């Protein structure tokens, strides 16, 4: 019998220690270390390595798979993020804040697939089967032949799967509620979660079923407990939303079989999640026309162009150190744009508080937003509204020049489609969007943009003083 020494495992990142300590050295989290029975000692004898290895057959890359390698859910926004459907035998982790709509999204996906004759099993560890059924009824999906259970024992679940044909899709809602006999830690601990995930992943690879694990997210945005699970699965999707609003964004964080820069946009309604196929229109629907400090950014999310409003507020500071607050964009990127404005354009913002917000709660990662941010900042500082029919995009370099960005054509086309007439962007090279019908106003440097905005502000002021008596 192996000696069972207690070990201390960080419940956040899974790092193991042989004595308790207040702070985890691996992830820096405080009070996250708890005593657990050693996982290695707890592996039952039947699964412990035997003296000699088993001989297995090797396969070739050209081997054929008998079924379609991808399972298309039919929910376009979901398929876009997974890279064209669920891959056979793959395991996905879906993370998201409590109540964001993870169970809703998954029951909708299950129903869509079950209605197309795939065997689909939904295991809820959190809700009773009746509650899941109630939700399905509310969503009008009660007639879909989804097989349902409320279970938490991984061994029981896997034994059940062995009956009948292997399911095409399995949803485990959530991985934090699962526990396995092979690990002797208490349910909910990181060791249990990891052990359960391991067993389910092994099952997926063996059977070819796609397994989706739901994972809770902690307040700082990590999938709760084991970040180790993120490394074990094939794809990590995160379902995000902005508290007060109805739309939700599904984002690929990791994907072994597809892109990670695509987003899926949904709207939460009484009848469940509705796909938003034209997100630009949604993000621009509450535009504040004619007020200074806003610029429409012609962005790209994966292969899809996305227009979104950047809002800036520049106000004289009352503090010693001015405030810089950013929502939805990288704050070090904002510091860079501010530094370039100061160094190359003569715009002094050292005595001003700067607030930047991406409208609609979207999170932008593209450097191409630099130009739109700069335009919004200048507009707020000078009090001159930007033209309502213009979109902005372009990367700003440290030398103050505006660098070309990829996918100019799609950005311009999307803007034209939504009624914009001009684009302020890098000087077009070979890839010009002349066929989009947009007037392209190429700017070579940030200083040009600042001068343009200041000049238009000046002419607006002159006009308004002429009109008023
Ligand atoms: N009757 C209803 N009408 C409209 N929306 C509803 C209704 N009932 C629930 N919702 C929406 O569904 C959301 C809950 O969705 P769901 O249970 O799928 O979330 P979840 O991410 O699985 O949550 P949890 O983390 O608690 O499991 C609610 O926050 C609410 O927005
Ligand atoms: Mg749920
Ligand atoms: Zn840790």
């Amino acid at each position: 019998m192996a000696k069972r020494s207690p070990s201390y495992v960080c419940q956040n990142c899974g790092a193991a220690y042989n004595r308790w300590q207040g702070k985890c050295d691996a992830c820096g989290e405080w009070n996250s270390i708890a005593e657990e029975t050693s996982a290695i000692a707890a592996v039952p004898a039947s699964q412990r390595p035997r003296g000699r290895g088993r001989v297995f057959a090797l396969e070739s890359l050209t081997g054929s798979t008998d079924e379609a390698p991808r399972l298309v859910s039919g929910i376009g926004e979901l398929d876009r993020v997974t890279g064209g459907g669920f891959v056979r035998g793959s395991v996905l982790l879906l993370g998201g804040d409590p109540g964001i709509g993870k169970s809703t999204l998954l029951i909708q996906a299950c129903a869509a697939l079950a209605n197309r004759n795939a065997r689909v099993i939904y295991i809820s560890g959190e809700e009773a089967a009746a509650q899941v059924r109630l939700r399905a009824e509310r969503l009008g999906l009660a007639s879909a032949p989804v097989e349902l259970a409320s279970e938490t024992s991984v061994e029981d679940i896997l034994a059940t799967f062995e009956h009948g044909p292997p399911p095409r899709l399995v949803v485990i809602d959530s991985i934090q509620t699962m526990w396995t006999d092979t690990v002797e830690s208490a349910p909910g601990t990181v060791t249990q979660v990891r052990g359960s995930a391991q067993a389910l992943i092994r099952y997926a690879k063996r059977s070819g079923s796609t397994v989706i694990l739901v994972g809770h997210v902690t307040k700082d945005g990590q999938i709760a407990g084991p970040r180790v699970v993120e490394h074990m699965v094939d794809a990590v999707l995160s379902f995000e939303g902005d508290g007060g609003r109805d739309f939700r964004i599904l984002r690929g964080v990791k994907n072994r079989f597809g892109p990670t820069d695509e987003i899926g946009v949904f709207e939460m309604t009484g009848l469940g999640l509705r796909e938003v196929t034209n997100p630009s229109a949604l993000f621009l629907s509450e535009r504040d026309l004619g007020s200074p400090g806003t610029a429409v950014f012609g962005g790209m999310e994966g292969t899809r162009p996305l227009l979104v409003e950047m809002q800036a507020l520049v106000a004289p500071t009352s503090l010693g150190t001015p405030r810089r607050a950013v929502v939805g964009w990288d704050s070090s990127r904002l510091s860079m744009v501010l530094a370039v404005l100061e160094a190359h354009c003569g715009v002094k913002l050292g005595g001003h508080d700067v607030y930047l917000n991406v409208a609609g709660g979207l999170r932008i990662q593209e450097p191409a937003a630099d130009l739109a941010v700069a335009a919004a900042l200048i507009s707020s500082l000078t009090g001159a509204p930007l033209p309502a029919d213009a979109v902005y995009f372009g990367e700003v370099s440290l030398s103050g020049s505006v660098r070309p960005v990829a996918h100019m054509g799609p950005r311009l086309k999307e803007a034209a489609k939504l009624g914009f007439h001009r684009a302020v962007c890098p000087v077009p090279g070979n890839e010009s969007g002349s066929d989009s019908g947009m007037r392209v106003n190429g700017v070579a440097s940030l200083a040009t943009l600042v001068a343009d905005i200041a000049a238009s502000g000046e002419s607006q002021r002159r006009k308004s003083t002429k009109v008023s008596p």
Side-chain angles (χ1 to χ4, degrees), residues 10-15 17 24-29 32:
C10 170
Q11 300 301 308
N12 185 50
C13 71
Y17 298 90
C24 172
D25 297 332
C27 68
E29 193 74 14
S32 62

